[in-house]
Amino acid sequence: MLITNARLITWDQPNQILEDHALLVKNGTIDALGPSAEMVQANPEEETLDAGGQWLMPGNICAHTHFYGAFARGMAIPGRPPRDFPDVLRKLWWPLDKSLNSEDVRYSALVCLVDAIRHGTTTLIDHHASPNAIDGSLDTIADAVDRSGLRAVLCYEVTDRDGEAKSAAGRDENVRFIERCADGPVAGGRVAAAFGLHASLTLSDGTLDACRKVAPAGSAFHIHIAEHEADEYDSLQKSGLRIVDRLLEHGILDERSIVAHAIHVDGREMELLAEAGCWVSHQPRSNMNNGVGVADVDSLLRMGVRVCLGNDGFSNAMWEEWKTAYLLHKVWHRDPRRMPADKLAEMAVVNNAALAEGFFPGAPLGTIRPGARADLILVDYHPTTPVHEGNLPWHIVFGFHESMVTATMVDGRLLMRNRELLTLDEAEITAKARERVPAVWERYKENVPSD
Ligand SMILES: [Zn+2]
């Protein structure tokens, strides 16, 4: 397919903006790019998509999300509101994830995938929990991802909170799915696997060791770290060590690990994350919502930690996450120089792409250049001021909006064209989800603690 008449944002290094260009997509990858007229002349037989002057850029990547949380939207928490983050887990997420059966897991994922296609997020790194539907849950989500045409990395979050049998089942689900992905391409190679762990505060030494022991070589652990200070205090009480030290001792952290949040880590833990080469994912909307504090992203980046951007189950509108981070760090430090938009591009574009490439080796992701994967979006943005490579990140913060995404493509296949979804039936998914949710909310009410 030849995409003509586009304003290309390459997100290459260095980034380039190329006016009136065309892109030739072949076999799922970008074959060539050049001025529109020349490319049309050189490829007269090729099926054409006229971008009509829209911006053509790599799809967004989300470094940390939870498809299982979609049914929480609009759900009332009975009794008094949760007082802090451990209380949010106890009163919201844990009774909710227990209320999901296998079909709920499927529709919760599909709802998020529709949202991702609409909002131009083409790769999602998910962290799943459904304690009453563990076995096969990653296959169910992989099926949904396959139907959607998107790209995703899946794992099951192992936890001891529901007893030994479910902890072991979560561990086995990760191993089984990692082996399935190693055996052959899942969803045409668009689904990869990580090894999920909930958080230090719900994992015993024995469980950490058991997971390390059975994790196939090269597995990437994906875990929440120090989202609230309770996680650090729990680790100190259990082991005499802070979380990063504790997880290093159990062999959990290395250059493939994804660490979500890292808000309450101390200076030495930041150094250790840098030395281990971990990916740290930042989720400012979730952190503000839970009132858990702000990760010291400036220091992490200065220490050489590869900080990425995720959404923690918020809408798959990644520019909203850019905007929130842009504002949050300024008010937190009371310094308008903090978190400039080009630093956000370094996290959300460069680091997220490098993280995703580790799971989908073989071709570059998140960039437009010959040989890169054709994961692309069209954005109908009409700037009232000049746009160039230097100020593009500020246009994204102050001008771009996900409602401007009109087309989404993954591996060279169009998933949305002229805002019309081509792979998923949005009306059917919306109707089925709304049909299923009342029963989920009823089960949630039975599971939620009364105090
Ligand atoms: Zn999370």
Side-chain angles (χ1 to χ4, degrees):
M1 173 179 280
L2 189 65
I3 308 173
T4 62
N5 196 14
R7 309 173 85 176
L8 288 188
I9 296 168
T10 66
W11 280 141
D12 207 350
Q13 287 173 341
N15 182 33
Q16 279 188 291
I17 292 179
L18 303 166
E19 298 286 344
D20 195 15
H21 262 56
L23 197 65
L24 181 63
V25 174
K26 270 191 180 164
N27 304 319
T29 58
I30 294 163
D31 189 75
L33 54 100
S36 236
E38 285 175 26
M39 293 289 285
V40 169
Q41 206 168 30
N43 301 280
E45 304 293 312
E46 200 65 38
E47 184 197 348
T48 300
L49 172 66
D50 184 353
Q54 294 181 80
W55 302 83
L56 177 59
M57 61 196 292
N60 288 314
I61 295 168
C62 175
H64 175 78
T65 194
H66 299 283
F67 295 156
Y68 78 79
F71 293 169
R73 187 179 296 176
M75 190 180 76
I77 299 175
R80 62 166 179 79
R83 70 172 70 87
D84 56 19
F85 181 63
D87 216 24
V88 170
L89 291 176
R90 216 171 60 87
K91 293 195 68 163
L92 172 57
W93 298 115
W94 293 351
L96 176 65
D97 66 20
K98 279 197 187 73
S99 307
L100 302 174
N101 63 32
S102 173
E103 276 308 283
D104 299 324
V105 168
R106 180 188 311 280
Y107 277 92
S108 194
L110 285 168
V111 164
C112 294
L113 296 165
V114 165
D115 183 64
I117 295 173
R118 280 228 170 273
H119 293 145
T121 299
T122 49
T123 297
L124 301 116
I125 301 183
D126 188 59
H127 200 250
H128 175 67
S130 53
N132 288 319
I134 299 174
D135 300 346
S137 57
L138 297 180
D139 295 329
T140 302
I141 300 170
D143 275 354
V145 174
D146 193 15
R147 269 173 68 185
S148 75
L150 288 164
R151 191 183 298 285
V153 180
L154 308 181
C155 70
Y156 189 90
E157 51 175 78
V158 177
T159 173
D160 294 329
R161 73 172 139 106
D162 300 308
E164 261 176 51
K166 291 194 177 182
S167 175
R171 187 188 69 210
D172 294 347
E173 179 66 3
N174 280 302
V175 173
R176 188 191 61 73
F177 193 71
I178 290 168
E179 285 173 349
R180 183 185 160 199
C181 290
D183 278 351
V186 175
R190 288 178 291 98
V191 167
F195 197 120
L197 299 169
H198 170 245
S200 175
L201 85 166
T202 68
L203 294 162
S204 68
D205 289 349
T207 299
L208 290 174
D209 288 339
C211 288
R212 174 69 275 169
K213 194 167 160 217
V214 297
S219 298
F221 285 101
H222 184 180
I223 183 168
H224 297 113
I225 284 188
E227 184 169 1
H228 184 270
E229 53 266 43
D231 201 11
E232 286 287 4
Y233 293 135
D234 173 89
S235 177
L236 285 164
Q237 199 170 22
K238 274 204 276 233
S239 63
L241 299 171
R242 293 186 70 86
I243 299 168
V244 173
D245 302 73
R246 176 173 186 239
L247 295 179
L248 278 168
E249 193 168 276
H250 291 279
I252 299 298
L253 299 180
D254 59 28
E255 71 288 345
R256 290 193 37 90
S257 311
I258 306 170
V259 165
H261 303 303
I263 296 168
H264 297 279
V265 291
D266 72 4
R268 179 58 185 148
E269 286 178 290
M270 289 189 203
E271 280 182 340
L272 290 170
L273 288 170
E275 284 167 21
C278 299
W279 304 92
V280 170
S281 178
H282 180 45
Q283 287 74 224
R285 285 185 294 178
S286 163
N287 299 159
M288 292 170 76
N289 186 47
N290 289 323
V292 290
V294 182
D296 189 354
V297 172
D298 276 341
S299 297
L300 287 163
L301 286 170
R302 268 166 55 73
M303 285 184 190
V305 176
R306 300 181 294 181
V307 184
C308 300
L309 207 64
N311 67 20
D312 214 17
F314 269 65
S315 64
N316 296 302
M318 290 305 293
W319 297 324
E320 296 303 306
E321 212 67 50
W322 285 52
K323 292 169 194 181
T324 307
Y326 185 84
L327 299 174
L328 171 62
H329 290 268
K330 289 172 178 59
V331 74
W332 181 254
H333 290 286
R334 298 193 61 248
D335 180 352
R337 293 165 295 190
R338 298 291 188 133
M339 198 54 74
D342 53 352
K343 197 174 277 186
L344 282 161
E346 182 188 333
M347 290 158 56
V349 177
V350 179
N351 291 349
N352 276 15
L355 167 62
E357 267 177 34
F359 290 99
F360 302 99
L365 252 178
T367 182
I368 290 181
R369 80 176 89 122
R373 295 183 192 278
D375 291 10
L376 303 163
I377 57 175
L378 279 177
V379 184
D380 193 19
Y381 174 53
H382 300 271
T384 51
T385 53
V387 181
H388 50 75
E389 288 83 354
N391 72 5
L392 173 65
W394 281 265
H395 272 274
I396 291 178
V397 168
F398 292 105
F400 277 48
H401 191 270
E402 290 78 2
S403 62
M404 297 169 183
V405 176
T406 66
T408 301
M409 174 184 272
V410 170
D411 261 355
R413 178 186 180 202
L414 276 170
L415 314 183
M416 179 171 77
R417 182 175 186 161
N418 297 328
R419 293 195 172 89
E420 188 196 335
L421 298 199
L422 303 175
T423 50
L424 295 179
D425 183 340
E426 185 174 12
E428 184 260 348
I429 289 165
T430 304
K432 278 269 177 55
R434 286 180 62 165
E435 199 179 296
R436 302 197 69 81
V437 167
V440 174
W441 286 7
E442 276 309 309
R443 289 195 290 274
Y444 162 80
K445 271 198 260 175
E446 286 159 24
N447 289 330
V448 74
S450 56
D451 62 325

